[in-house]
Amino acid sequence: MSRTLFIADLHLCQEEPAITAGFLHFLQREAPHCDALYILGDLFEAWIGDDDPNPLHQQIAQALRALPIPTFFIHGNRDFLLGQRFARASGMTLLPEEQVLECYGHRVLIMHGDTLCTDDTGYQNFRAKVHKRWLQRLFLALPLRLRQRIAGKMRAGSKQANQHKSISIMDVNLQAVESTMLRQQVKTLIHGHTHRPAIHQFALQTQPAQRAVLGAWHEEGSMIQLDANGIQLIRFPF
Ligand code: LP5
Ligand code: MN
């Protein structure tokens, strides 16, 4: 049967070879048998520019490019600097931060999910800054070693800040979810970022609606499958 797959939050890096192996296995075994693959951000642990010579990036680009199906990418909060050069090398099409799909009779909104965490004002302030084009251009013009150091500082600062944030602050804000879904005129939303895999059913202005949250790839893989029957959240071993 025709189906489309969605994944997010793999956080690929050289320090976690089992996750990379799991992803390569998924690309060889699972992805070729679907109509399209959508990667909803945080494919990589941190992205400091398409010119980073990290061999992992070449390996992933090659594996993605070998796929016989169209692949799409929405930026996450770790890899928002992933650009056209890597997109071309991997054969992925870059999508805007919110995208509506019409698939198998379903209208579905896809996004990373970080923009829905509006209670996390510390993060939203940080995001607004690092999403400024001029600051990104400045950062990308710095020597790689300096970019690595800054990214390391940001990751450390983020880990530190998260220790003092409550679980609920780091989850999506339900008003933000509802207003986004109403604005995009969808009853189904798929996102990642929060690492809290679930399919939440709720009423959106009295109509049944659902929000599907992808799991992060830590010990196992997580994907959402969309077909004519609707969505399914699936876990699988690496
Ligand atoms: O990522 P995670 O899971 O730890 O937490 C996220 C939010 N944090 C982030 C920050 C990223 O982890 C940093 C990624 C670096 C990418 C490459 C560098 C590109 C640089 C581009 C410059 C133009 O996204 C976290 C959320 C959490 O999700 C849950 O939603 O809470 O948000 C924060 O932690 C933000 C903090 O509140 C403030 C961030 C402190 C950053 C310290 C900056 C130090 C900079 C030093 C520079 C010289
Ligand atoms: Mn994220």
Side-chain angles (χ1 to χ4, degrees):
M1 201 205 317
S2 304
R3 63 196 184 115
T4 287
L5 299 181
F6 303 85
I7 57 173
D9 301 296
L10 286 79
H11 299 277
L12 297 176
C13 59
Q14 285 182 306
E15 292 71 30
E16 297 283 355
I19 303 178
T20 300
F23 182 49
L24 294 173
H25 189 248
F26 166 85
L27 291 181
Q28 273 164 11
R29 292 294 175 87
E30 192 71 33
H33 309 293
C34 67
D35 296 333
L37 172 67
Y38 289 84
I39 302 173
L40 306 187
D42 289 359
L43 174 61
F44 293 100
E45 172 74 357
W47 194 266
I48 57 168
D50 291 7
D51 56 340
D52 184 345
N54 187 335
L56 171 71
H57 301 172
Q58 311 310 319
Q59 191 187 9
I60 297 300
Q62 263 176 28
L64 284 166
R65 200 177 46 223
L67 279 181
I69 53 156
T71 56
F72 302 89
F73 181 81
I74 293 184
H75 293 106
N77 58 299
R78 304 285 192 88
D79 49 19
F80 56 90
L81 287 179
L82 192 150
Q84 281 301 342
R85 179 168 151 190
F86 186 79
R88 268 195 299 275
S90 58
M92 296 194 294
T93 301
L94 301 183
L95 297 177
E97 63 186 47
E98 293 180 11
Q99 177 76 39
V100 174
L101 309 176
E102 308 263 5
C103 273
Y104 321 114
H106 301 279
R107 187 176 158 85
V108 179
L109 171 63
I110 55 173
M111 56 201 298
H112 180 57
D114 56 328
T115 52
L116 298 170
C117 300
T118 53
D119 295 331
D120 193 345
T121 50
Y123 171 65
Q124 296 303 335
N125 291 336
F126 171 80
R127 187 181 192 278
K129 287 193 191 103
V130 296
H131 276 254
K132 289 202 190 306
R133 251 339 264 172
W134 68 266
L135 191 61
Q136 295 185 354
R137 277 202 210 101
L138 190 72
F139 178 81
L140 290 171
L142 297 173
L144 261 167
R145 294 303 297 269
L146 186 53
R147 278 183 265 161
Q148 271 156 356
R149 286 226 319 261
I150 294 172
K153 288 222 160 52
M154 286 179 176
R155 289 290 308 117
S158 182
K159 281 184 194 152
Q160 176 92 28
N162 290 359
Q163 283 174 2
H164 307 289
K165 287 181 195 170
S166 71
I167 299 279
S168 67
I169 278 183
M170 288 195 286
D171 203 354
V172 297
N173 172 293
L174 292 179
Q175 267 143 23
V177 168
E178 293 191 9
S179 62
T180 305
M181 291 178 77
L182 289 171
R183 171 166 50 75
Q184 296 283 11
Q185 300 179 309
V186 294
K187 304 270 165 28
T188 301
L189 164 63
I190 300 176
H191 70 83
H193 182 67
T194 59
H195 303 187
R196 297 175 209 204
I199 299 183
H200 302 274
Q201 312 279 353
F202 60 102
L204 185 62
Q205 288 190 332
T206 74
Q207 299 273 317
Q210 56 186 345
R211 176 172 69 91
V213 188
L214 284 155
W217 290 38
H218 292 308
E219 309 296 327
E220 58 181 14
S222 174
M223 66 176 184
I224 284 169
Q225 177 175 304
L226 172 67
D227 61 25
N229 296 323
I231 51 173
Q232 239 180 300
L233 176 62
I234 301 166
R235 305 154 39 162
F236 53 95
F238 290 151

